[in-house]
């Protein structure tokens, strides 16, 4: 109930010079505690020309018209009142002085209502004033709290109780104000309509913890048991404070993640989940969940929760770490290098946690790092042995991935020691094994014949490449007994290498082909021949075998580019060539170069005196026995 009103004072006054008129003044409303009393101030006026000898008055309850037989509260003529007011009402004012103030005591709730005054000047000079006062019977003090209480700003809370009983005056005290501030009692104050109130003020600076605090005011009347209490809950407005949030979250890729943000504020905050400035979810609530289904590595990062209302804002962050196996490593660096150069190769990957990175070559660890996303392999001076396939392997507890890469080392040709020439019966085959990168061009030079044959001449040279090795085979026919010098030359853009190929005797290859059984047979034949020759020499009539006459032409070297005129055609069959190829263990069909002497070189053919069948067989037998 509001005690402080701004209704204007209304006085009806009769002026003799102006004739006057009927009128009255009283408060439109008044209140009092149950069990106490109340004095309703009242003044009235009438025309001066009436000049009554005696002025009487009547107070009615809830109705101003006598014909309605309203309950009589007080009547000056007869003192007859309604039973509800017997012993409870009396007139405090002097009607002759136009004062109609009424006192009501032992107030009970049923006495609350409208009170009207009727002036009785005798005869027909009776008048019921339309002005009236509404009595409110209360049992709680009135605590007035400002419409807005903001944390951190000083506020004033007042407790007001009516003080319109001349017999009893209330005393005020605060309840539950500990920690808020000390009260200030202003005392008894008069309201605009002539009523009185007792006021006590409480000044304090509220905090967010004071929100919802129950603050009370007590009105007590000395020398009585009457006590009345009233309470008000403080509605303290304050900005949000985030009070609940996930700590850093770790989740395996593909799993479900739920992030929680809770804030304390009044009024409720607007909660917003964001990532990199993008709003993911928002709602006005005390708490808000952000659900992430089947998280991926792309969702790894920092998530922010913003809480705001009209009084301020707060924010918090949570880190989401998505754990996943390494991605396929990427290799950046030099893949082709020249021998002697420095090579730097970078292998990198992405994973969480960081992986163990290792670079292998032929199961040998060349470099490794632990819990790093990059691995640098430094080869300060590459050699041909560094050429080949490498592996970069990334591994953590969630999986393993690998990438292969090839390093190509370019270098000048190297002719390997297994290069040589070998004789098999009447055929000489020269093997030149070259290691180089890029692939070299290979040529065979016969200095004694002033002939050079390169690998492009497919009918004479067979070449095959395997990795960094190039194997070229030159086949010479008819030179098993007097093989020529052969020089192998290999060339690429980094240099040239030459080597005179060492010769391995034809008898060794021949005996390797004949085998153990053949050796026994040959040895028996050798003994028989020796015996036969010995006997014929004793007879002194044995001549040298005509099979070894000087009538045959020895072979001479020629090729498609360097053919000597008049040379005979090939005379060996393909069957013998196939057996020779099998003897050398060659793959495919290597070409051959036919060698023979020209007719002009007949004088250069060796005579039988220098090389006989007996000596040849003896040499073969000696080698086989060894």
């Amino acid at each position: 109930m509001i005690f402080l009103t701004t209704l204007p004072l209304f006085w009806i006054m009769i002026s003799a010079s102006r004739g006057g008129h009927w009128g009255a003044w009283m408060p439109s409303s008044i209140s009092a505690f149950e069990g106490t009393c109340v004095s309703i101030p009242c003044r009235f006026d009438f025309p001066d020309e009436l000049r009554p000898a005696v002025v009487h008055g009547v107070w009615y309850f809830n109705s101003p018209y006598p014909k309605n037989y309203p309950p009589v509260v007080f009547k000056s003529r007869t003192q007859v009142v309604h039973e509800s007011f017997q012993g409870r009402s009396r007139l405090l004012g002097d009607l002759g002085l136009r004062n109609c103030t009424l006192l009501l005591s032992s107030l009970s709730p049923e006495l609350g209502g409208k009170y009207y005054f009727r002036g009785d000047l005798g005869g027909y000079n009776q008048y019921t004033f339309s002005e009236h006062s509404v009595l409110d019977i209360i049992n709680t003090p009135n605590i007035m709290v400002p419409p807005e209480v903001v944390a951190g700003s000083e506020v004033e809370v007042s407790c007001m109780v009516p003080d319109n009983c001349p017999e009893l005056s209330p005393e005020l005290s605060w309840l539950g104000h500990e920690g808020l501030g000390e009260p200030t009692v202003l005392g008894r104050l008069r309201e605009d309509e002539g009523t009185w109130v007792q006021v006590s003020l409480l000044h304090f600076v509220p905090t967010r913890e004071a929100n919802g605090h129950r603050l009370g005011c007590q009105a007590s009347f000395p020398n009585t048991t009457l006590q009345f209490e009233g309470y008000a809950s403080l509605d303290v407005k304050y900005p949000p404070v985030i009070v609940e949030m996930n700590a850093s979250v770790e989740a395996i890729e593909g799993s479900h993640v739920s992030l929680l943000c809770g804030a304390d504020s009044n009024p409720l905050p607007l909660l917003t989940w964001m990532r990199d400035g993008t709003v993911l979810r928002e709602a006005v609530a005390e708490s808000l969940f952000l659900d992430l289904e089947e998280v991926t590595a792309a969702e790894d990062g920092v998530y922010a929760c913003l809480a705001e209302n009209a009084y301020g804002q707060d924010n918090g962050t949570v880190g989401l770490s998505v754990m996943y196996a390494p991605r396929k490593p990427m290799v950046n660096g030099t893949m082709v290098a020249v021998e002697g150069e420095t090579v730097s190769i970078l292998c990198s990957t992405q994973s969480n946690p960081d992986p163990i990175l290792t670079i292998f070559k032929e199961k040998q660890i060349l470099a490794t790092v632990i819990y790093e996303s990059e691995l640098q392999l430094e080869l300060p001076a590459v050699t041909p042995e560094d050429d080949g396939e490498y592996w970069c392997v990334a591994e953590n507890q969630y999986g393993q991935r690998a990438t292969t890469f090839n390093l190509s080392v370019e270098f000048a040709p190297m002719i390997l020691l297994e290069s040589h020439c070998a004789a098999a019966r009447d055929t000489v085959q020269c093997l030149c094994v070259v290691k180089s990168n890029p692939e070299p061009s290979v040529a065979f030079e016969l200095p004694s014949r002033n002939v050079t044959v390169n690998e492009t001449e497919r009918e004479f040279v067979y070449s095959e490449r395997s990795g960094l090795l190039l194997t070229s085979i030159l086949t010479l026919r008819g030179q098993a007994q007097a093989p020529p010098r052969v020089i192998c030359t290999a060339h690429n853009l980094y240099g040239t290498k030459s080597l005179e190929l060492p010769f391995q005797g034809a008898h060794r290859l021949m005996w390797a082909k004949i085998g153990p059984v053949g050796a026994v047979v040959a040895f028996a034949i050798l003994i028989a021949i020796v015996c036969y020759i010995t006997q014929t020499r004793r007879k002194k009539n044995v001549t040298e075998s005509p099979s070894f006459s000087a009538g045959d032409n020895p072979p001479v070297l020629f090729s498609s580019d360097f053919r000597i005129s008049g040379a005979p055609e090939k005379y060996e069959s393909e069957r013998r060539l196939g057996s020779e190829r099998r003897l050398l263990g060659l793959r495919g069909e290597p070409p051959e170069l036919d060698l023979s002497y020209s007719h002009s070189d007949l004088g250069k053919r060796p005579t039988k005196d220098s090389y006989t069948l007996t000596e040849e067989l003896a040499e073969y037998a000696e080698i086989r026995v060894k």
Side-chain angles (χ1 to χ4, degrees):
M1 173 180 177
I2 300 177
F3 297 98
L4 298 176
T5 63
T6 59
L7 292 176
L9 294 177
F10 180 69
W11 289 93
I12 304 299
M13 307 179 72
I14 305 300
S15 175
S17 61
R18 294 166 54 191
H21 60 271
W22 296 95
W25 172 91
M26 64 186 69
S28 61
S29 63
I30 192 169
S31 61
F33 282 106
E34 182 181 358
T36 65
C37 66
V38 64
S39 173
I40 303 175
C42 175
R43 294 187 67 182
F44 68 98
D45 209 348
F46 52 85
D48 288 340
E49 62 269 19
L50 296 180
R51 296 180 181 180
V54 179
V55 178
H56 290 281
V58 181
W59 280 93
Y60 291 113
F61 181 65
N62 280 340
S63 178
Y65 305 111
K67 63 181 180 179
N68 293 336
Y69 301 104
V72 176
V73 177
F74 174 81
K75 189 173 185 180
S76 61
R77 282 184 180 274
T78 64
Q79 301 295 320
V80 176
V81 298
H82 189 272
E83 61 181 356
S84 299
F85 295 95
Q86 288 181 0
R88 291 184 171 184
S89 62
R90 65 189 174 95
L91 194 65
L92 293 181
D94 185 347
L95 295 179
L97 298 177
R98 303 180 186 187
N99 187 332
C100 52
T101 300
L102 176 68
L103 177 66
L104 299 175
S105 59
S106 301
L107 296 176
S108 58
E110 65 271 13
L111 300 185
K114 298 176 181 180
Y115 288 81
Y116 295 87
F117 178 71
R118 180 180 175 82
D120 183 3
L121 305 183
Y124 292 102
N125 296 318
Q126 297 182 17
Y127 188 85
T128 302
F129 300 96
S130 61
E131 291 79 8
H132 63 277
S133 184
V134 178
L135 175 61
D136 185 20
I137 308 299
I138 64 173
N139 54 22
T140 58
N142 183 32
I143 300 178
M144 298 184 66
V145 180
E148 185 176 73
V149 178
V150 181
S153 299
E154 186 180 41
V155 297
E156 178 185 274
V157 179
S158 63
C159 176
M160 293 191 299
V161 296
D163 190 10
N164 296 307
C165 178
E167 300 173 357
L168 296 172
S169 182
E171 293 181 354
L172 299 179
S173 60
W174 287 94
L175 305 175
H177 70 287
E178 295 80 6
L180 296 179
E182 293 300 322
T184 301
V185 178
L186 295 183
R188 192 167 185 260
L189 299 178
R190 187 178 186 274
E191 298 180 289
D192 290 341
E193 289 190 320
T195 57
W196 295 87
V197 293
Q198 283 278 359
V199 180
S200 179
L201 302 179
L202 184 64
H203 292 87
F204 61 94
V205 177
T207 62
R208 67 176 59 246
E209 290 77 18
N211 182 48
H213 182 78
R214 198 162 179 257
L215 186 64
C217 178
Q218 183 183 77
S220 59
F221 295 86
N223 302 320
T224 69
T225 59
L226 296 176
Q227 282 188 346
F228 302 93
E229 295 178 356
Y231 292 89
S233 293
L234 297 178
D235 184 19
V236 181
K237 309 297 183 182
Y238 53 92
V241 173
I242 294 179
V243 295
E244 188 176 13
M245 199 168 189
N246 301 81
S248 297
V249 177
E250 289 187 357
I252 299 176
E253 187 174 28
S255 63
H256 172 267
V257 174
S258 184
L259 304 179
L260 171 64
C261 177
D264 173 35
S265 72
N266 187 26
L268 286 176
L270 172 65
L271 295 176
T272 305
W273 275 107
M274 295 185 298
R275 179 170 182 261
D276 297 333
T278 301
V279 175
L280 304 177
R281 190 184 181 195
E282 62 180 3
V284 176
E286 291 183 357
S287 60
L288 182 65
F289 282 95
L290 177 64
D291 292 315
L292 303 174
E293 301 291 342
E294 297 183 356
V295 292
T296 64
E299 293 173 293
D300 186 288
V302 177
Y303 291 75
C305 176
L306 175 65
E308 56 184 338
N309 64 12
Y311 301 96
Q313 66 178 23
D314 191 19
N315 63 78
T317 59
V318 56
L320 173 61
S321 182
V322 179
M323 318 302 284
Y324 58 96
R327 302 298 188 238
K328 186 177 180 63
M330 297 181 60
V331 178
N332 296 320
T334 304
M335 296 296 107
V336 178
V338 179
E339 183 180 15
E341 290 183 345
T342 297
V343 173
S344 179
I345 298 173
L346 178 66
C347 176
S348 62
T349 186
Q350 292 182 343
S351 70
N352 194 12
D354 284 332
I356 299 174
L357 276 173
T358 306
I359 295 180
F360 295 89
K361 183 178 187 290
E362 297 176 354
K363 297 182 180 182
Q364 179 182 0
I365 297 177
L366 302 180
T368 185
V369 291
I370 299 176
Y371 305 137
E372 296 286 345
S373 60
E374 294 183 350
L375 174 58
Q376 191 89 18
L377 175 62
E378 293 284 347
L379 300 175
V382 293
T383 65
E385 285 69 27
D386 295 320
D387 189 286
E389 184 180 64
Y390 291 74
W391 287 80
C392 179
V393 180
E395 180 179 13
N396 65 13
Q397 60 264 45
Y398 299 102
Q400 182 188 83
R401 293 295 297 274
T403 294
T404 63
F405 62 94
N406 287 283
L407 174 61
S408 178
V409 178
E410 297 185 343
F411 54 94
M414 296 184 295
I415 300 177
L416 303 187
L417 295 179
E418 54 261 38
S419 301
H420 65 279
C421 290
R425 297 184 181 177
D426 63 344
T427 300
V428 173
Q429 286 191 325
C430 294
L431 179 71
C432 185
V433 182
V434 181
K435 183 176 182 180
S436 74
N437 189 21
E439 182 176 347
S441 60
V442 176
F444 292 93
E445 180 183 359
L446 282 70
S448 61
R449 300 291 182 262
N450 195 24
V451 174
T452 299
V453 181
N454 58 49
E455 58 185 340
T456 59
E457 302 177 60
R458 300 294 184 182
E459 57 179 311
F460 308 119
V461 178
Y462 170 80
S463 296
E464 181 178 281
R465 184 173 178 85
S466 176
L468 299 178
L469 296 180
L470 176 66
T471 302
S472 293
I473 301 174
L474 173 67
T475 301
L476 306 176
R477 297 183 58 83
Q479 289 293 304
Q481 296 179 358
R485 291 174 55 223
V486 178
I487 298 175
C488 177
T489 301
H491 171 78
N492 66 8
L493 58 91
Y494 297 107
T496 302
K497 182 70 174 178
S498 297
L499 177 69
E500 181 173 347
L501 302 180
F503 181 79
Q504 295 181 356
H507 54 278
R508 296 182 181 179
L509 293 178
M510 183 184 70
W511 285 114
K513 180 179 178 181
I514 292 175
V517 176
V520 173
V521 174
F523 187 72
I525 294 175
L526 175 62
I527 295 175
I529 292 174
V530 170
C531 293
Y532 175 77
I533 292 174
T534 302
Q535 292 177 0
T536 54
R537 283 184 176 180
R538 289 177 182 177
K539 295 178 180 181
K540 298 182 180 181
N541 57 358
V542 178
T543 63
E544 294 178 353
S545 173
S547 301
F548 296 91
S549 64
D552 296 332
N553 294 324
V556 177
L557 171 67
F558 63 89
S559 67
S560 58
D561 295 326
F562 303 97
R563 183 177 296 274
I564 301 173
S565 59
E569 296 297 324
K570 300 177 183 179
Y571 59 92
E572 287 293 328
S573 67
E574 289 298 322
R575 181 185 60 80
R576 292 185 60 190
L577 178 60
S579 63
E580 293 166 355
R581 291 170 182 164
R582 286 191 299 272
L583 177 62
L584 293 176
L586 300 177
R587 298 194 311 174
E589 297 292 332
E592 62 183 29
L593 187 63
D594 192 8
L595 300 176
S596 62
Y597 283 131
S598 64
H599 293 287
S600 60
D601 292 329
L602 289 176
K604 298 180 181 180
R605 180 187 178 191
T607 62
K608 195 60 185 175
D609 294 336
S610 62
Y611 200 89
T612 64
L613 175 61
T614 303
E615 292 171 343
E616 181 181 2
L617 292 179
E619 181 182 1
Y620 287 169
E622 179 182 359
I623 293 173
R624 181 57 187 166
V625 171
K626 291 181 179 179

